[in-house]
Amino acid sequence: MIAKRCLSVMVLLSLLALALIPYARGAATSGAPASPQITLEELPLLSLADLTYVGAFRVPNQDGDGNSLGYAGHALGYYPANHSLFFGGHDWYQLLCEIGVPAEINLTQTADVLQDCTDVTEGNLDTIDDGSIKLGGTLVYNGRLLVSAYSYYDADGSQSVSHFTSSLDLGSGGDLGGPYAVGNWAGIVSGYMGLVPPEWQAALGGPAFTGNCCLSIISRTSYGPALSIFDPDSVGSVVPAPAESLLHYPSSHPLADWDATSPLFNGTTQIRGVAFPPGSRSVLFFGRQGVGEFCYGGGEECGDPVSSYQGTHAYPYVHQVWAYDALELQAVKEGSKEPWDVLPYALWRLDDMDSTGSATLAGAVYDPTSGRVYLTEAYGEEPVVHVYELTVPQTPRVELRYYLPFVRD
């Protein structure tokens, strides 16, 4: 689409001159830390060209104890020491296991189950709230495991706690902490988690992030991607553990209308994980979006051939990335923007995983050392983990900054 603003010839010439300034930098690497000579403002914004599909590997249908791994793959967390994934088992049971990442990434390879599925909450999952409770995310930090959880249908907005702590040995008992409150709004912190790159921690206020989005009873969560900064070491030692929201969209300020036909957000949006690559300004949310005409009703009524249930529809569905600029999150931290004023600078469709319009996603997690993103499909008796790799350019880019072609009041 033609940009709303055209740069003058003089501005273009100035940008070209700036692009020719020499930088003594090496070749591109995946997830390399920022050079001390480069300011945060000079770090590059990533593009779709920096995201490469590596392939996919399989996950066994069950673990060694016979627990099902079908319809699984939520609450993903990366464990660097074992080059493995914490991996939520069958959706009915909300157990957690650990699977190894194969040395070769292709569909002839099947992951080993390193730890069988277990109730990591030691019978305490239902203390999160009334009703059905789901595991939201996992994070390995300073030798322990953080596990978030959320109420699937929090009609009265009563959930106030969201995070557990545990040892990395899923089979050991008596080491559970929580559930604990993180921040003061469980609906925007009870899902995916990840690490803030070292160069951004002072600017954004902490070493890690947590978030959630688009849950049933949408008013108790975010109408678009959400991200809060926190210190995992404070979970269990400070009540509630401090968490500062740098991105969320309340009902009064949605990213787009819930019943919109829009690539930005609607009632079909799901956000499953975040990559914040070191050496860049990009914060990338991975999820699934319905990009067709929005409809509430049955699948047949709404012309949805892949989902027959009564609810929200916007066929076809795509795997999608919402790309944000961390400088705008910094502006929220500094008080010059509100968390809902921040808009994505780009949307990317990931057709490598599915191009049929039936996209599903259970989980997503990023390994900052390798630059790889692991994504799991939501449905199937034989789970598949897809792998992408993010390459951060080591030469600062002079970019024509643009915004997506939409109008939001």
Side-chain angles (χ1 to χ4, degrees), residues 25-30 32 391-395:
R25 304 295 300 272
T29 61
S30 297
T391 301
V392 178
Q394 293 302 287
T395 300

Side-chain angles (χ1 to χ4, degrees), residues 54-58 102-111 384-385 387:
V54 177
F57 61 89
R58 301 187 183 279
E104 297 181 13
I105 306 298
N106 59 66
L107 287 174
T108 69
Q109 304 297 310
T110 300
V384 171
V385 179
V387 183

Side-chain angles (χ1 to χ4, degrees), residues 141 144 180-182 230-243:
Y141 192 85
R144 67 175 182 170
Y180 302 111
V182 173
F230 79 122
D231 182 353
D233 286 339
S234 70
V235 178
S237 61
V238 181
V239 181

Side-chain angles (χ1 to χ4, degrees), residues 107-362:
L107 287 174
T108 69
Q109 304 297 310
T110 300
D112 293 327
V113 177
L114 304 184
Q115 295 193 69
D116 289 333
C117 293
T118 188
D119 178 4
V120 69
T121 72
E122 300 181 24
N124 289 283
L125 190 61
D126 61 1
T127 62
I128 288 286
D129 198 21
D130 297 330
S132 178
I133 309 299
K134 305 285 189 180
L135 297 180
T138 49
L139 177 68
V140 175
Y141 192 85
N142 279 351
R144 67 175 182 170
L145 181 66
L146 272 74
V147 181
S148 63
Y150 62 91
S151 174
Y152 179 72
Y153 194 84
D154 189 7
D156 58 1
S158 60
Q159 181 182 349
S160 61
V161 292
S162 55
H163 285 66
F164 296 91
T165 62
S166 175
S167 75
L168 296 169
D169 181 354
L170 300 180
S172 65
D175 56 11
L176 182 76
Y180 302 111
V182 173
N184 56 14
W185 187 358
I188 63 171
V189 299
S190 51
Y192 45 81
M193 292 181 279
L195 300 176
V196 176
E199 67 269 26
W200 282 101
Q201 291 178 12
L204 299 185
F209 59 78
T210 186
N212 214 335
C213 163
C214 322
L215 304 174
S216 297
I217 310 299
I218 186 69
S219 58
R220 52 85 178 226
T221 183
S222 179
Y223 289 67
L227 184 141
S228 295
I229 303 298
F230 79 122
D231 182 353
D233 286 339
S234 70
V235 178
S237 61
V238 181
V239 181
E244 184 171 4
S245 175
L246 300 186
L247 183 69
H248 72 263
Y249 301 93
S251 58
S252 56
H253 299 279
L255 182 56
D257 290 338
W258 179 84
D259 57 356
T261 297
S262 170
L264 278 171
F265 169 82
N266 57 35
T268 70
T269 304
Q270 299 171 354
I271 303 293
R272 299 307 191 198
V274 181
F276 193 166
S280 83
R281 282 176 21 213
S282 292
V283 182
L284 308 176
F285 292 83
F286 290 79
R288 174 255 206 183
Q289 178 69 21
V291 296
E293 182 177 356
F294 182 85
C295 174
Y296 187 89
E300 184 176 357
E301 173 190 358
C302 292
D304 187 341
V306 301
S307 178
S308 62
Y309 73 91
Q310 179 76 18
T312 58
H313 301 268
Y315 177 84
Y317 305 97
V318 297
H319 295 110
Q320 183 165 292
V321 177
W322 288 253
Y324 283 79
D325 187 344
L327 286 179
E328 297 199 49
L329 303 183
Q330 182 182 7
V332 176
K333 171 66 177 174
E334 294 172 349
S336 61
K337 282 181 177 283
E338 297 291 347
W340 50 86
D341 290 333
V342 181
L343 304 176
Y345 69 84
L347 301 177
W348 309 331
R349 292 187 183 182
L350 306 180
D351 292 333
D352 306 278
M353 294 174 61
D354 177 271
S355 59
T356 67
S358 60
T360 64
L361 197 66

